[in-house]
Short mmCIF file of all heavy atoms in Angstrom, two decimals:
data_model
loop_
_atom_site.label_atom_id
_atom_site.label_comp_id
_atom_site.label_asym_id
_atom_site.label_seq_id
_atom_site.Cartn_x
_atom_site.Cartn_y
_atom_site.Cartn_z
N LYS T 294 -9.22 12.91 6.89
CA LYS T 294 -8.91 14.23 7.47
C LYS T 294 -8.47 14.09 8.92
O LYS T 294 -9.18 13.53 9.75
CB LYS T 294 -10.16 15.11 7.41
CG LYS T 294 -10.03 16.47 8.12
CD LYS T 294 -9.06 17.38 7.42
CE LYS T 294 -9.07 18.79 8.01
NZ LYS T 294 -8.49 18.86 9.37
N MET T 295 -7.26 14.57 9.20
CA MET T 295 -6.76 14.62 10.57
C MET T 295 -7.21 15.91 11.25
O MET T 295 -7.53 16.90 10.59
CB MET T 295 -5.24 14.57 10.59
CG MET T 295 -4.61 13.30 10.11
SD MET T 295 -2.81 13.29 10.37
CE MET T 295 -2.29 14.64 9.30
N HIS T 296 -7.19 15.91 12.56
CA HIS T 296 -7.44 17.12 13.34
C HIS T 296 -6.38 18.16 12.98
O HIS T 296 -5.21 17.82 12.79
CB HIS T 296 -7.36 16.78 14.83
CG HIS T 296 -8.00 17.78 15.72
ND1 HIS T 296 -7.49 19.06 15.89
CD2 HIS T 296 -9.10 17.73 16.52
CE1 HIS T 296 -8.25 19.73 16.75
NE2 HIS T 296 -9.24 18.94 17.14
N GLY T 297 -6.78 19.41 12.87
CA GLY T 297 -5.85 20.46 12.48
C GLY T 297 -4.67 20.62 13.41
O GLY T 297 -3.59 21.04 13.00
N SER T 298 -4.85 20.30 14.69
CA SER T 298 -3.76 20.45 15.66
C SER T 298 -3.03 19.13 15.93
O SER T 298 -2.38 18.97 16.96
CB SER T 298 -4.31 21.02 16.97
OG SER T 298 -5.32 20.17 17.50
N SER T 299 -3.15 18.20 15.01
CA SER T 299 -2.55 16.88 15.19
C SER T 299 -1.04 16.97 15.40
O SER T 299 -0.33 17.71 14.71
CB SER T 299 -2.82 16.00 13.96
OG SER T 299 -4.17 15.64 13.89
N LYS T 300 -0.58 16.17 16.36
CA LYS T 300 0.85 16.02 16.59
C LYS T 300 1.27 14.62 16.14
O LYS T 300 0.49 13.88 15.57
CB LYS T 300 1.19 16.29 18.06
CG LYS T 300 0.97 17.75 18.44
CD LYS T 300 1.58 18.09 19.79
CE LYS T 300 1.43 19.59 20.08
NZ LYS T 300 2.04 19.96 21.37
N ALA T 301 2.51 14.28 16.39
CA ALA T 301 3.09 13.06 15.83
C ALA T 301 2.27 11.80 16.11
O ALA T 301 2.07 10.97 15.22
CB ALA T 301 4.52 12.88 16.34
N ASN T 302 1.78 11.65 17.34
CA ASN T 302 1.02 10.45 17.69
C ASN T 302 -0.25 10.33 16.88
O ASN T 302 -0.63 9.25 16.42
CB ASN T 302 0.69 10.44 19.18
CG ASN T 302 0.04 9.15 19.62
OD1 ASN T 302 0.59 8.06 19.44
ND2 ASN T 302 -1.16 9.24 20.19
N ALA T 303 -0.92 11.47 16.67
CA ALA T 303 -2.15 11.48 15.88
C ALA T 303 -1.85 11.16 14.42
O ALA T 303 -2.61 10.44 13.76
CB ALA T 303 -2.84 12.84 15.98
N VAL T 304 -0.74 11.68 13.90
CA VAL T 304 -0.34 11.41 12.52
C VAL T 304 -0.04 9.93 12.35
O VAL T 304 -0.48 9.29 11.38
CB VAL T 304 0.88 12.26 12.12
CG1 VAL T 304 1.35 11.90 10.71
CG2 VAL T 304 0.55 13.75 12.20
N LYS T 305 0.71 9.38 13.28
CA LYS T 305 1.05 7.95 13.23
C LYS T 305 -0.22 7.10 13.23
O LYS T 305 -0.37 6.19 12.41
CB LYS T 305 1.91 7.58 14.44
CG LYS T 305 2.28 6.10 14.51
CD LYS T 305 2.87 5.74 15.85
CE LYS T 305 1.80 5.70 16.93
NZ LYS T 305 2.31 5.23 18.24
N ASN T 306 -1.15 7.39 14.13
CA ASN T 306 -2.39 6.61 14.21
C ASN T 306 -3.27 6.80 12.99
O ASN T 306 -3.96 5.88 12.55
CB ASN T 306 -3.16 6.97 15.48
CG ASN T 306 -2.55 6.35 16.73
OD1 ASN T 306 -2.03 5.24 16.67
ND2 ASN T 306 -2.59 7.06 17.83
N ALA T 307 -3.25 8.01 12.42
CA ALA T 307 -4.03 8.26 11.21
C ALA T 307 -3.55 7.37 10.07
O ALA T 307 -4.35 6.83 9.31
CB ALA T 307 -3.91 9.73 10.81
N ILE T 308 -2.25 7.20 9.97
CA ILE T 308 -1.68 6.36 8.91
C ILE T 308 -1.96 4.89 9.18
O ILE T 308 -2.45 4.17 8.30
CB ILE T 308 -0.16 6.60 8.81
CG1 ILE T 308 0.12 8.02 8.33
CG2 ILE T 308 0.48 5.57 7.87
CD1 ILE T 308 1.58 8.44 8.44
N ILE T 309 -1.70 4.45 10.39
CA ILE T 309 -1.85 3.02 10.71
C ILE T 309 -3.31 2.59 10.67
O ILE T 309 -3.66 1.57 10.05
CB ILE T 309 -1.24 2.73 12.11
CG1 ILE T 309 0.28 2.93 12.06
CG2 ILE T 309 -1.58 1.31 12.56
CD1 ILE T 309 0.95 2.85 13.40
N LYS T 310 -4.19 3.37 11.29
CA LYS T 310 -5.60 2.99 11.34
C LYS T 310 -6.34 3.33 10.04
O LYS T 310 -7.35 2.70 9.72
CB LYS T 310 -6.27 3.67 12.53
CG LYS T 310 -5.70 3.19 13.86
CD LYS T 310 -6.39 3.78 15.07
CE LYS T 310 -5.79 3.25 16.36
NZ LYS T 310 -6.44 3.78 17.56
N GLY T 311 -5.81 4.29 9.29
CA GLY T 311 -6.43 4.64 8.02
C GLY T 311 -6.23 3.57 6.96
O GLY T 311 -6.97 3.54 5.96
N ARG T 312 -5.26 2.70 7.15
CA ARG T 312 -5.00 1.63 6.18
C ARG T 312 -6.21 0.73 6.00
O ARG T 312 -6.45 0.21 4.90
CB ARG T 312 -3.80 0.80 6.64
CG ARG T 312 -2.51 1.58 6.68
CD ARG T 312 -1.42 0.85 7.45
NE ARG T 312 -0.93 -0.29 6.70
CZ ARG T 312 -1.10 -1.55 7.06
NH1 ARG T 312 -1.79 -1.84 8.16
NH2 ARG T 312 -0.60 -2.53 6.32
N ALA T 313 -6.98 0.53 7.07
CA ALA T 313 -8.14 -0.36 7.00
C ALA T 313 -9.19 0.17 6.02
O ALA T 313 -9.94 -0.61 5.44
CB ALA T 313 -8.76 -0.53 8.39
N TYR T 314 -9.24 1.48 5.84
CA TYR T 314 -10.20 2.08 4.91
C TYR T 314 -9.95 1.58 3.49
O TYR T 314 -10.88 1.35 2.72
CB TYR T 314 -10.07 3.60 4.98
CG TYR T 314 -11.19 4.37 4.30
CD1 TYR T 314 -12.50 4.23 4.73
CD2 TYR T 314 -10.93 5.26 3.27
CE1 TYR T 314 -13.53 4.95 4.13
CE2 TYR T 314 -11.95 5.99 2.66
CZ TYR T 314 -13.25 5.82 3.10
OH TYR T 314 -14.27 6.52 2.51
N VAL T 315 -8.67 1.39 3.16
CA VAL T 315 -8.30 0.87 1.85
C VAL T 315 -8.41 -0.64 1.82
O VAL T 315 -8.98 -1.23 0.89
CB VAL T 315 -6.87 1.30 1.48
CG1 VAL T 315 -6.45 0.71 0.13
CG2 VAL T 315 -6.75 2.82 1.45
N GLU T 316 -7.89 -1.29 2.84
CA GLU T 316 -7.86 -2.76 2.88
C GLU T 316 -9.25 -3.37 2.80
O GLU T 316 -9.44 -4.42 2.20
CB GLU T 316 -7.15 -3.23 4.15
CG GLU T 316 -5.65 -2.95 4.15
CD GLU T 316 -5.00 -3.31 5.47
OE1 GLU T 316 -5.74 -3.42 6.49
OE2 GLU T 316 -3.77 -3.47 5.50
N GLU T 317 -10.22 -2.73 3.43
CA GLU T 317 -11.58 -3.26 3.45
C GLU T 317 -12.43 -2.78 2.27
O GLU T 317 -13.64 -3.05 2.23
CB GLU T 317 -12.27 -2.88 4.77
CG GLU T 317 -11.62 -3.47 6.01
CD GLU T 317 -11.66 -5.00 6.03
OE1 GLU T 317 -12.57 -5.58 5.39
OE2 GLU T 317 -10.79 -5.60 6.67
N ASN T 318 -11.80 -2.07 1.34
CA ASN T 318 -12.49 -1.63 0.12
C ASN T 318 -13.79 -0.86 0.43
O ASN T 318 -14.82 -1.06 -0.23
CB ASN T 318 -12.82 -2.83 -0.78
CG ASN T 318 -11.56 -3.54 -1.25
OD1 ASN T 318 -10.62 -2.90 -1.71
ND2 ASN T 318 -11.54 -4.86 -1.15
N VAL T 319 -13.73 0.01 1.41
CA VAL T 319 -14.92 0.74 1.84
C VAL T 319 -15.50 1.59 0.70
O VAL T 319 -16.72 1.64 0.51
CB VAL T 319 -14.61 1.63 3.07
CG1 VAL T 319 -15.82 2.48 3.43
CG2 VAL T 319 -14.20 0.77 4.25
N VAL T 320 -14.63 2.23 -0.07
CA VAL T 320 -15.11 3.07 -1.18
C VAL T 320 -15.88 2.23 -2.19
O VAL T 320 -16.98 2.60 -2.63
CB VAL T 320 -13.93 3.78 -1.87
CG1 VAL T 320 -14.40 4.51 -3.13
CG2 VAL T 320 -13.26 4.76 -0.92
N ASP T 321 -15.34 1.06 -2.55
CA ASP T 321 -16.02 0.19 -3.51
C ASP T 321 -17.33 -0.35 -2.97
O ASP T 321 -18.32 -0.48 -3.70
CB ASP T 321 -15.11 -0.98 -3.91
CG ASP T 321 -13.94 -0.53 -4.78
OD1 ASP T 321 -14.05 0.55 -5.38
OD2 ASP T 321 -12.93 -1.25 -4.84
N ILE T 322 -17.35 -0.68 -1.67
CA ILE T 322 -18.57 -1.23 -1.07
C ILE T 322 -19.68 -0.18 -1.06
O ILE T 322 -20.84 -0.48 -1.37
CB ILE T 322 -18.28 -1.74 0.36
CG1 ILE T 322 -17.37 -2.97 0.31
CG2 ILE T 322 -19.59 -2.10 1.08
CD1 ILE T 322 -16.86 -3.41 1.66
N ILE T 323 -19.34 1.07 -0.73
CA ILE T 323 -20.32 2.15 -0.79
C ILE T 323 -20.81 2.32 -2.22
O ILE T 323 -22.01 2.44 -2.47
CB ILE T 323 -19.71 3.46 -0.26
CG1 ILE T 323 -19.45 3.37 1.25
CG2 ILE T 323 -20.66 4.64 -0.54
CD1 ILE T 323 -18.71 4.56 1.82
N ASP T 324 -19.88 2.30 -3.16
CA ASP T 324 -20.21 2.45 -4.58
C ASP T 324 -21.18 1.36 -5.04
O ASP T 324 -22.20 1.62 -5.68
CB ASP T 324 -18.93 2.40 -5.41
CG ASP T 324 -19.14 2.85 -6.85
OD1 ASP T 324 -20.28 3.23 -7.18
OD2 ASP T 324 -18.18 2.80 -7.62
N GLN T 325 -20.90 0.12 -4.68
CA GLN T 325 -21.74 -1.02 -5.08
C GLN T 325 -23.13 -0.92 -4.48
O GLN T 325 -24.13 -1.20 -5.15
CB GLN T 325 -21.08 -2.33 -4.65
CG GLN T 325 -19.79 -2.64 -5.41
CD GLN T 325 -18.95 -3.69 -4.71
OE1 GLN T 325 -19.42 -4.36 -3.77
NE2 GLN T 325 -17.71 -3.84 -5.14
N ASN T 326 -23.21 -0.52 -3.22
CA ASN T 326 -24.50 -0.44 -2.56
C ASN T 326 -25.37 0.67 -3.12
O ASN T 326 -26.58 0.50 -3.31
CB ASN T 326 -24.31 -0.26 -1.05
CG ASN T 326 -24.07 -1.57 -0.34
OD1 ASN T 326 -24.98 -2.18 0.18
ND2 ASN T 326 -22.82 -2.02 -0.35
N VAL T 327 -24.75 1.83 -3.41
CA VAL T 327 -25.51 2.94 -3.95
C VAL T 327 -26.01 2.58 -5.34
O VAL T 327 -27.15 2.88 -5.70
CB VAL T 327 -24.65 4.22 -3.99
CG1 VAL T 327 -25.35 5.31 -4.79
CG2 VAL T 327 -24.39 4.71 -2.58
N ALA T 328 -25.18 1.91 -6.15
CA ALA T 328 -25.58 1.52 -7.50
C ALA T 328 -26.78 0.58 -7.45
O ALA T 328 -27.74 0.74 -8.21
CB ALA T 328 -24.41 0.83 -8.21
N ARG T 329 -26.78 -0.38 -6.54
CA ARG T 329 -27.89 -1.32 -6.41
C ARG T 329 -29.13 -0.60 -5.89
O ARG T 329 -30.26 -0.92 -6.26
CB ARG T 329 -27.52 -2.46 -5.48
CG ARG T 329 -26.44 -3.38 -6.08
CD ARG T 329 -25.92 -4.34 -5.03
NE ARG T 329 -24.85 -5.15 -5.59
CZ ARG T 329 -25.02 -6.34 -6.14
NH1 ARG T 329 -26.22 -6.86 -6.23
NH2 ARG T 329 -23.99 -7.03 -6.61
N TYR T 330 -28.93 0.39 -5.02
CA TYR T 330 -30.03 1.18 -4.51
C TYR T 330 -30.71 1.93 -5.64
O TYR T 330 -31.94 1.96 -5.76
CB TYR T 330 -29.49 2.15 -3.46
CG TYR T 330 -30.47 3.19 -2.97
CD1 TYR T 330 -31.66 2.82 -2.36
CD2 TYR T 330 -30.19 4.54 -3.11
CE1 TYR T 330 -32.55 3.79 -1.91
CE2 TYR T 330 -31.07 5.51 -2.66
CZ TYR T 330 -32.25 5.13 -2.06
OH TYR T 330 -33.12 6.08 -1.61
N GLU T 331 -29.92 2.50 -6.52
CA GLU T 331 -30.46 3.22 -7.67
C GLU T 331 -31.22 2.26 -8.60
O GLU T 331 -32.25 2.61 -9.15
CB GLU T 331 -29.32 3.90 -8.44
CG GLU T 331 -28.66 5.04 -7.69
CD GLU T 331 -29.61 6.19 -7.41
OE1 GLU T 331 -30.45 6.48 -8.26
OE2 GLU T 331 -29.52 6.78 -6.33
N GLN T 332 -30.70 1.04 -8.77
CA GLN T 332 -31.38 0.06 -9.62
C GLN T 332 -32.76 -0.27 -9.09
O GLN T 332 -33.73 -0.37 -9.83
CB GLN T 332 -30.54 -1.23 -9.70
CG GLN T 332 -29.31 -1.10 -10.59
CD GLN T 332 -28.45 -2.34 -10.53
OE1 GLN T 332 -28.86 -3.36 -9.98
NE2 GLN T 332 -27.26 -2.26 -11.08
N LYS T 333 -32.86 -0.42 -7.78
CA LYS T 333 -34.15 -0.78 -7.23
C LYS T 333 -35.16 0.36 -7.38
O LYS T 333 -36.32 0.16 -7.68
CB LYS T 333 -34.04 -1.16 -5.76
CG LYS T 333 -35.40 -1.58 -5.21
CD LYS T 333 -35.30 -2.32 -3.91
CE LYS T 333 -36.68 -2.87 -3.60
NZ LYS T 333 -36.93 -3.10 -2.22
N LYS T 334 -34.69 1.61 -7.18
CA LYS T 334 -35.59 2.75 -7.35
C LYS T 334 -36.11 2.82 -8.79
O LYS T 334 -37.22 3.26 -9.05
CB LYS T 334 -34.85 4.05 -7.01
CG LYS T 334 -34.66 4.26 -5.52
CD LYS T 334 -34.46 5.72 -5.19
CE LYS T 334 -33.22 6.25 -5.86
NZ LYS T 334 -32.94 7.65 -5.46
N ALA T 335 -35.25 2.34 -9.72
CA ALA T 335 -35.65 2.36 -11.13
C ALA T 335 -36.51 1.16 -11.50
O ALA T 335 -36.92 1.01 -12.64
CB ALA T 335 -34.41 2.40 -12.02
N GLY T 336 -36.74 0.26 -10.54
CA GLY T 336 -37.60 -0.89 -10.80
C GLY T 336 -36.87 -2.20 -10.94
O GLY T 336 -37.46 -3.21 -11.28
N GLY T 337 -35.54 -2.19 -10.66
CA GLY T 337 -34.77 -3.43 -10.75
C GLY T 337 -35.07 -4.37 -9.62
O GLY T 337 -35.68 -3.99 -8.61
N GLU T 338 -34.62 -5.62 -9.75
CA GLU T 338 -34.91 -6.63 -8.74
C GLU T 338 -33.72 -6.91 -7.83
O GLU T 338 -33.84 -7.64 -6.87
CB GLU T 338 -35.30 -7.96 -9.44
CG GLU T 338 -36.58 -7.86 -10.26
CD GLU T 338 -37.78 -7.52 -9.40
OE1 GLU T 338 -37.83 -7.99 -8.24
OE2 GLU T 338 -38.66 -6.80 -9.86
N ASP T 339 -32.55 -6.37 -8.17
CA ASP T 339 -31.36 -6.69 -7.39
C ASP T 339 -31.48 -6.18 -5.97
O ASP T 339 -32.00 -5.09 -5.72
CB ASP T 339 -30.11 -6.05 -8.02
CG ASP T 339 -29.73 -6.76 -9.31
OD1 ASP T 339 -30.27 -7.86 -9.54
OD2 ASP T 339 -28.91 -6.21 -10.08
N GLN T 340 -30.96 -6.94 -5.03
CA GLN T 340 -30.91 -6.54 -3.64
C GLN T 340 -29.47 -6.23 -3.27
O GLN T 340 -28.54 -6.87 -3.79
CB GLN T 340 -31.43 -7.69 -2.73
CG GLN T 340 -32.89 -8.02 -2.95
CD GLN T 340 -33.80 -6.87 -2.59
OE1 GLN T 340 -33.55 -6.17 -1.64
NE2 GLN T 340 -34.86 -6.67 -3.35
#
Side-chain angles (χ1 to χ4, degrees):
K294 174 68 172 70
M295 294 187 296
H296 198 292
S298 59
S299 290
K300 293 193 175 181
N302 186 57
V304 176
K305 178 192 74 175
N306 284 325
I308 294 169
I309 293 172
K310 296 183 179 181
R312 295 166 72 247
Y314 192 60
V315 177
E316 290 174 341
E317 296 297 335
N318 298 313
V319 175
V320 173
D321 289 339
I322 292 171
I323 292 174
D324 193 2
Q325 292 163 12
N326 277 265
V327 170
R329 292 170 183 266
Y330 171 60
E331 292 297 323
Q332 285 174 10
K333 182 164 189 205
K334 285 203 298 185
E338 296 298 325
D339 288 347
Q340 296 296 322

